[in-house]
Amino acid sequence: MSARDEVMNRIKSALRDAPVAPEIPRNYRRDSHMGAGQRLDLLVDRLVDYKANVFVVPAADASAKLAELLAGSSSIVVPHGLPESWLAAVKNDAGTVRLQVDSPERRLTVEELDAVDAVVTAAAVAVAETGTIMLDGSPSQGRRVISLVPDRHICLLLAQDIVEVLPEAIARLEPTSPQTWISGPSATSDIELERVEGVHGPRTLDVVILN
Amino acid sequence: MKIALFATCIVDAMYPRTARATVTILERLGHEVIFPAGQACCGQMHVNSGYFKEALPVVANHVAAFDTDDYDVAVAPSGSCVASVKHQHELVARRCGDAALEARAAVVGAKTYELSQLLTDVLGVTNAAEQLGSYFPHKVTYHPSCHGMRLLKLGDRQLNLLSSVAGIEMVELPEAEQCCGFGGTFSMKNADVSSAMNADKAANICGTGAELCSGGDASCLLHIGGGLSRQGSHVGTLHFAEILACTLDRPATVLGEVQLAGGKR
Amino acid sequence: MSNTFLGMPSLPVFGSGNLNATEPFPKAARRELANTQLRANLGHATATIRDKRLKVVAELPDWEDMRDSGSAIKDATMANLPALLEQFEANFTVRGGVIHWARDAQEANEIVTALIQATGESEVVKVKSMATQEIGLNEYLQEQGIAAYETDLAELIVQLDHDKPSHILVPAIHKNRSQIREIFLREMVDVDPGLSDDPARLAEAARKHLRKKFLSAKVAVSGANFGLAETGTLTVVESEGNGRMCLTLPETLITVMGIEKLLPSFTDLEVFMQLLPRSSTGERMNPYTSLWTGVTPGDGPQNVHLVMLDNGRTAALADKMGRTALNCIRCSACMNVCPVYERTGGHAYGSTYPGPIGAILSPLMTGITSEENNSLPYASSLCGACYDACPVKINIPEVLVHLRGEDVDSTRGKVKVPTQMDLMMKGAQWAFSSGSHLNLLEKGLPLGKLVAGRNKVIKKLPGIAAGWTQSRDIPAPPSQSFRQWWAKEHKPGSAVGPGTTTEGEQA
């Protein structure tokens, strides 16, 4: 008998008392009771608590804010689907910041990613209550690896994509997409159970919320 | 109201004062107390040690003693024994395949209350000084025993009753919710861990500067008091029922006259 | 009742690997208790995490609703496990993943080894995984000439120190910062000799140490927190980014997951991803969660394997009372609140799974008669703190008592000399099964008073009770029991009025 069939048979045999699957109660909060402003404030509070840097700017100022944040950086990587308008000011500074685009046609190597100062991505959705931004691999967010290897991650988020609670975000996500949920910069609690930021993932997380 | 007292084996044999205090309080409130003579023990020690077969006659005895219409509610001055009556008796009967006993145990369990539960929820006692004349001019800290706190969800019932005693000074016990380490035969089978837990409990109690530690379970108080006594501490332990029973006219004096459950007084 | 089922193997088939204690818990606990540094480290760490957990749990108005949902979802998962496994398998496979099944630790180790060897590599990076600890994968790989590098900070500390994990979430919880600094200075090549014991500096040292390994690794081995049947999706929950490194950079990813780790649907994750982080690290959300479904072309490993592990899980499933232990999501909240764990640490439990959950899970997976695992269900005062903390409401105290019953019953009928505990229980059965028996016994109380002597305490008892008197006195018993007083002196209503409490009970 194959291992699969044997394990399956063991399970069926273990369950021969035919336990009844209970009804699943879902009395927890599944939608938001907050207004947009409250959700925004809550997200900011939670991100700051996790030592992320948070900037709330009008959507029209996205490009300027990004250029400001990248002043002093020599190279950045962006996914191929990042909105062009966000990069306008950075591109005007051409010569000071080297911009590399990761795309299906031209995938950056790990070494190339390790050499850049920062990565700029969008996000699919953010959960205010937990301070979580969620990336789902769509073209504005790119491959999982690009938001991992560079030491600084700048994430631009549309205020309309902020939900209050996790179930609302789950409802928006495509389950089979490769997802990364990010709550603050890389951190560890492994030493005396005290949280310290900055281990293997990006040690700096900047979240720019476009209002 | 006609109230059946379940004294519990440890109170019956080691701390009769606690049961008498319970009677005193209930009679002072004008209720009739009866003592079903067939009672002995809830069987918790057997169950918690894995001796289900040996527990069965003990459980059957308790159910036989209390499965009557002769009283309105039953009460015990012990959170863990009441938890056993309410939660374990049916389990034992079921495991041993005695469906009739299981059904009767459920009836008895539903009628049985822990003392602070009965006083607060059924008899409406919220102010011990006013309603019971309780007076106890001493500095007291309080340990909430695990089974009362977690299985019966007693919350602050015992503490609130104590706090409403005239003259009492309650001081908060640090890490109050940590188990004292008794755990029945755990204290023998895992004597080292149990002793370490008790030592920490004792240190926390002594650190409060209280004259004594109160609680709602004689077994935990025996354990804590036994540890305090061995360490030569002068802090004793006393069941909350005994504090509620004390009055201005007849106070229990904590110096010399009363032998507390453990400690050196 | 027969254990055979038409065409079915007879159950239970127990697990192997690092699930067995090698000495009885009381003996191991005694040794660990003597380590004052360990006691201090554990006390500090568990107190820190307890406070954090309470704070973030209190923030949610619907925490109890979530626990109810989590518990019901897991119960339903176990009840429907065969169908859910088939559904998961179909979905994972259709998206390019390959599934392997392992009956036990040995088979799982062999499968993983063969998969690594097929790549031609002799090194792997690892994400922290309880399943691979349980099967002893690292040791097995080493015997086969394959080096496995643990990348979680705590696992790295333990591995560098040639030690064993002592906690399922924070394997190095028994070490403090200065001990960790010493380990790094001793074992890390190229470490800065001026390294301080500041946790941030220690984390940075780990980053430098592992960076090259991550960027060059071709094969990674992981566990999984959840497998979603509806979509064939796997989930890894982590903090440092070492998980993301392992899950996205290598060409080959091999995941080892227990068969009980399934959830029916993606929606169910909304419950568990609230329960797990708050219960484990006391955070609203862990820094990183990765989800992948088979192979994503152009993104992450293109060679994706999953080993589905039994190793005693079906034995636990066969125990009606005990199967609830399989609901465990490995958050470690139970050990952080356990007064026994706090004082002994994880090593005392012997098994990969320590603390309250380990005290039920290990004997359920290996059988109560296996080696020293029969001492584990007794490693609890039954205080119930674990049940209160458990995000999926596993009634650990109830299962502990159930397993104690299994242990006692397993020796019944065997020719043996009764233990002192057996005799004590038999004697107490006689005394406690009748009011008149107890009364008869209580007539001997004045004798106890005599034994206690002038100091009014008993300081030393023989045999099994000596454990009690090693640190505790017993007060002198009263001169008469309550029932004797009641029969002789109580008059209905006579107690009305104050102060009768202490009457007649003066020393």
Side-chain angles (χ1 to χ4, degrees):
Chain A
M1 201 188 291
S2 71
R4 180 193 184 279
D5 291 349
E6 190 167 335
V7 172
M8 280 293 191
N9 276 353
R10 287 180 190 176
I11 296 169
K12 288 171 189 166
S13 181
L15 292 173
R16 75 193 131 168
D17 62 307
V20 178
E23 284 287 306
I24 314 292
R26 301 225 184 236
N27 298 325
Y28 54 88
R29 293 165 302 146
R30 302 190 77 184
D31 44 37
S32 185
H33 301 288
M34 284 185 172
Q38 281 178 297
R39 289 200 298 270
L40 173 71
D41 290 346
L42 184 60
L43 177 65
V44 171
D45 176 76
R46 298 294 149 94
L47 284 167
V48 168
D49 192 40
Y50 283 152
K51 309 287 195 294
N53 306 312
V54 189
F55 310 92
V56 183
V57 298
D61 296 350
S63 165
K65 187 69 201 176
L66 193 56
E68 181 195 323
L69 289 173
L70 287 170
S73 299
S74 58
S75 63
I76 63 166
V77 60
V78 300
H80 67 284
L82 197 75
E84 280 293 319
S85 62
W86 294 355
L87 290 167
V90 175
K91 283 183 172 168
N92 285 343
D93 286 347
T96 59
V97 182
R98 180 162 174 253
L99 180 76
Q100 298 183 81
V101 178
D102 186 80
S103 69
E105 295 74 37
R106 163 84 176 91
R107 292 196 179 107
L108 271 66
T109 65
V110 172
E111 290 71 26
E112 287 172 314
L113 288 169
D114 197 32
V116 303
D117 291 336
V119 56
V120 181
T121 73
V125 60
V127 182
E129 188 172 77
T130 62
T132 307
I133 54 174
M134 294 163 152
L135 276 56
D136 65 3
S138 56
S140 64
Q141 297 148 49
R143 295 188 295 147
R144 284 175 286 170
V145 67
I146 69 165
S147 59
L148 171 65
V149 176
D151 203 15
R152 182 183 183 193
H153 180 191
I154 302 173
C155 182
L156 282 76
L157 171 74
L158 305 178
Q160 71 224 43
D161 289 331
I162 301 170
V163 298
E164 182 191 345
V165 291
L166 183 63
E168 296 172 284
I170 293 274
R172 287 195 185 199
L173 290 163
E174 161 56 39
T176 57
S177 63
Q179 292 170 36
T180 308
W181 302 1
I182 298 170
S183 307
S186 158
T188 183
S189 302
D190 279 351
I191 301 170
E192 299 181 12
L193 277 160
E194 282 173 19
R195 183 183 163 110
V196 294
E197 283 74 24
V199 199
H200 303 295
R203 287 181 288 188
T204 304
L205 175 66
D206 296 331
V207 180
V208 181
I209 301 171
L210 305 177
N211 207 356
Chain B
M1 191 174 271
K2 199 166 175 184
I3 300 168
L5 174 66
F6 170 35
T8 79
C9 64
I10 187 168
V11 164
D12 182 21
M14 292 295 287
Y15 298 109
R17 296 181 331 255
T18 302
R20 290 168 59 183
T22 305
V23 174
T24 301
I25 295 164
L26 297 174
E27 290 186 346
R28 203 180 285 161
L29 288 166
H31 299 288
E32 182 190 349
V33 179
I34 63 162
F35 181 78
Q39 66 176 280
C41 170
C42 65
Q44 185 183 183
M45 180 181 76
H46 286 104
V47 178
N48 287 351
S49 303
Y51 288 77
F52 285 86
K53 190 169 151 255
E54 287 77 3
L56 187 67
V58 181
V59 170
N61 178 68
H62 182 86
V63 172
F66 283 87
D67 185 20
T68 70
D69 293 330
D70 199 28
Y71 67 92
D72 300 309
V73 293
V75 68
S78 162
S80 72
C81 303
V82 171
S84 173
V85 169
K86 281 183 173 301
H87 297 293
Q88 288 186 333
H89 283 192
E90 288 173 80
L91 202 75
V92 170
R94 197 178 318 138
R95 193 175 167 120
C96 296
D98 191 336
L101 181 63
E102 186 182 342
R104 290 167 66 211
V107 173
V108 172
K111 281 170 84 175
T112 306
Y113 290 80
E114 183 276 335
L115 178 60
S116 72
Q117 236 176 3
L118 181 73
L119 290 174
T120 309
D121 302 357
V122 182
L123 305 181
V125 177
T126 52
N127 189 319
E130 284 179 15
Q131 292 166 275
L132 294 167
S134 309
Y135 174 73
F136 194 75
H138 298 283
K139 192 170 176 180
V140 175
T141 193
Y142 166 76
H143 166 69
S145 285
C146 300
H147 291 175
M149 175 170 57
R150 302 204 177 90
L151 287 172
L152 296 182
K153 310 277 181 221
L154 292 182
D156 287 335
R157 286 178 179 82
Q158 293 174 355
L159 184 61
N160 289 343
L161 287 168
L162 281 172
S163 302
S164 70
V165 169
I168 204 165
E169 183 191 348
M170 294 301 298
V171 284
E172 195 182 330
L173 179 63
E175 296 175 359
E177 296 194 349
Q178 273 237 4
C179 176
C180 71
F182 172 57
T185 50
F186 171 78
S187 61
M188 294 185 244
K189 279 206 167 205
N190 280 284
D192 295 308
V193 187
S194 169
S195 296
M197 290 160 69
N198 203 23
D200 291 345
K201 181 60 71 182
N204 278 325
I205 290 170
C206 293
T208 64
E211 295 166 73
L212 57 90
C213 175
S214 187
D217 270 273
S219 52
C220 307
L221 296 176
L222 170 75
H223 184 244
I224 295 168
L228 287 165
S229 164
R230 177 62 60 87
Q231 290 170 25
S233 166
H234 288 274
V235 181
T237 56
L238 191 62
H239 195 282
F240 82 92
E242 296 182 59
I243 294 179
L244 296 187
C246 288
T247 63
L248 184 58
D249 299 337
R250 291 291 302 275
T253 48
V254 186
L255 284 169
E257 199 178 314
V258 180
Q259 190 193 342
L260 299 170
K264 285 275 181 187
R265 282 179 199 285
Chain C
M1 191 172 68
S2 163
N3 258 349
T4 51
F5 201 56
L6 205 61
M8 298 257 177
S10 108
L11 278 175
V13 182
F14 294 116
S16 54
N18 297 329
L19 288 169
N20 271 302
T22 51
E23 59 184 333
F25 181 83
K27 192 175 164 215
R30 187 186 189 94
R31 183 183 56 246
E32 301 295 320
L33 279 165
N35 184 343
T36 50
Q37 181 68 64
L38 176 79
R39 288 274 296 278
N41 294 353
L42 282 169
H44 171 71
T46 52
T48 304
I49 192 70
R50 277 200 299 271
D51 290 348
K52 284 176 74 178
R53 190 191 78 88
L54 283 176
K55 204 168 134 252
V56 295
V57 163
E59 279 181 5
L60 295 188
D62 50 355
W63 181 252
E64 291 304 320
D65 294 318
M66 220 118 55
R67 288 179 79 210
D68 288 337
S69 302
S71 170
I73 291 167
K74 283 309 261 186
D75 282 349
T77 302
M78 296 313 147
N80 297 326
L81 198 54
L84 290 169
L85 281 166
E86 280 171 10
Q87 189 188 9
F88 179 89
E89 182 181 40
N91 285 319
F92 190 78
T93 306
V94 81
R95 290 186 170 267
V98 183
I99 293 199
H100 313 260
W101 295 77
R103 280 166 273 226
D104 54 26
Q106 178 69 21
E107 191 167 20
N109 286 332
E110 287 168 5
I111 292 167
V112 175
T113 304
L115 289 170
I116 297 167
Q117 284 168 343
T119 67
E121 294 295 314
S122 60
E123 279 188 7
V124 297
V125 286
K126 280 191 70 203
V127 198
K128 183 177 145 27
S129 137
M130 294 312 299
T132 61
Q133 288 285 356
E134 170 194 324
I135 62 177
L137 179 64
N138 290 5
E139 296 76 15
Y140 187 88
L141 290 178
Q142 196 175 10
E143 287 166 19
Q144 312 303 315
I146 297 167
Y149 294 95
E150 291 291 351
T151 63
D152 169 75
L153 177 53
E155 290 283 5
L156 174 70
I157 293 163
V158 167
Q159 191 178 40
L160 286 174
D161 199 33
H162 315 286
D163 193 6
K164 275 167 55 179
S166 68
H167 187 276
I168 65 173
L169 178 78
V170 195
I173 194 170
H174 55 297
K175 305 277 188 201
N176 66 24
R177 62 186 72 190
S178 77
Q179 292 168 314
I180 294 165
R181 173 180 169 269
E182 283 164 25
I183 293 165
F184 280 14
L185 288 175
R186 191 178 71 229
E187 301 284 341
M188 267 185 186
V189 188
D190 299 338
V191 72
D192 171 10
L195 181 68
S196 79
D197 67 0
D198 174 12
R201 296 282 79 75
L202 294 170
E204 194 180 10
R207 177 185 171 99
K208 284 188 181 144
H209 178 72
L210 286 170
R211 190 84 182 163
K212 262 193 214 126
K213 278 268 174 284
F214 282 135
L215 301 188
S216 62
K218 297 281 184 285
V219 182
V221 175
S222 86
N225 290 90
F226 305 104
L228 311 179
E230 179 188 41
T231 53
T233 303
L234 290 173
T235 311
V236 162
V237 174
E238 52 127 359
S239 295
E240 298 167 11
N242 64 308
R244 294 178 67 192
M245 289 280 179
C246 293
L247 300 173
T248 51
L249 290 179
E251 294 160 4
T252 299
L253 173 61
I254 305 163
T255 302
V256 181
M257 179 175 83
I259 52 171
E260 84 287 14
K261 288 279 186 173
L262 291 192
L263 297 177
S265 72
F266 182 59
T267 304
D268 295 324
L269 213 50
E270 73 193 22
V271 175
F272 289 88
M273 284 309 298
Q274 297 195 66
L275 290 173
L276 179 57
R278 286 181 203 253
S279 300
S280 58
T281 52
E283 292 167 315
R284 298 184 183 104
M285 189 65 87
N286 50 293
Y288 299 132
T289 298
S290 296
L291 283 78
W292 73 100
T293 308
V295 174
T296 306
D299 187 346
Q302 298 298 295
N303 191 11
V304 172
H305 295 268
L306 174 64
V307 181
M308 288 282 208
L309 180 67
D310 178 357
N311 200 38
R313 284 161 177 78
T314 50
L317 190 67
D319 185 321
K320 274 193 250 181
M321 282 282 289
R323 67 168 62 119
T324 175
L326 294 175
N327 293 4
C328 174
I329 56 172
R330 310 286 190 263
C331 72
S332 76
C334 63
M335 49 203 80
N336 296 333
V337 299
C338 177
V340 176
Y341 178 91
E342 181 182 339
R343 285 163 183 86
T344 65
H347 291 159
Y349 295 79
S351 161
T352 292
Y353 302 105
I357 187 65
I360 60 173
L361 198 54
S362 307
L364 281 165
M365 290 169 75
T366 63
I368 193 73
T369 53
S370 162
E371 295 192 39
E372 305 295 355
N373 276 4
N374 64 353
S375 70
L376 292 178
Y378 299 95
S380 166
S381 64
L382 304 178
C383 81
C386 49
Y387 181 29
D388 269 9
C390 178
V392 289
K393 298 180 91 164
I394 300 170
N395 192 335
I396 295 175
E398 194 171 278
V399 180
L400 285 166
V401 169
H402 160 69
L403 290 173
R404 291 177 187 186
E406 297 289 297
D407 176 46
V408 169
D409 288 346
S410 74
T411 61
R412 282 188 204 279
K414 289 186 184 163
V415 181
K416 58 154 193 170
V417 181
T419 63
Q420 286 186 43
M421 188 62 84
D422 292 340
L423 294 171
M424 188 173 109
M425 290 297 157
K426 207 69 204 166
Q429 179 193 338
W430 177 83
F432 292 157
S433 57
S434 144
S436 52
H437 287 179
L438 186 56
N439 187 36
L440 201 65
L441 198 70
E442 285 166 350
K443 289 193 170 148
L445 287 173
L447 195 67
K449 200 157 186 163
L450 204 67
V451 172
R454 281 190 60 199
N455 289 332
K456 295 178 256 165
V457 293
I458 297 165
K459 285 192 174 289
K460 198 163 169 55
L461 286 172
I464 191 171
W468 175 282
T469 49
Q470 79 179 37
S471 72
R472 291 153 287 221
D473 293 337
I474 296 179
S479 39
Q480 66 176 355
S481 69
F482 173 77
R483 78 177 65 228
Q484 287 159 359
W485 173 84
W486 178 273
K488 281 190 258 172
E489 298 177 38
H490 177 258
K491 291 177 190 68
S494 68
V496 177
T500 46
T501 327
T502 59
E503 210 171 52
E505 277 308 318
Q506 292 162 22

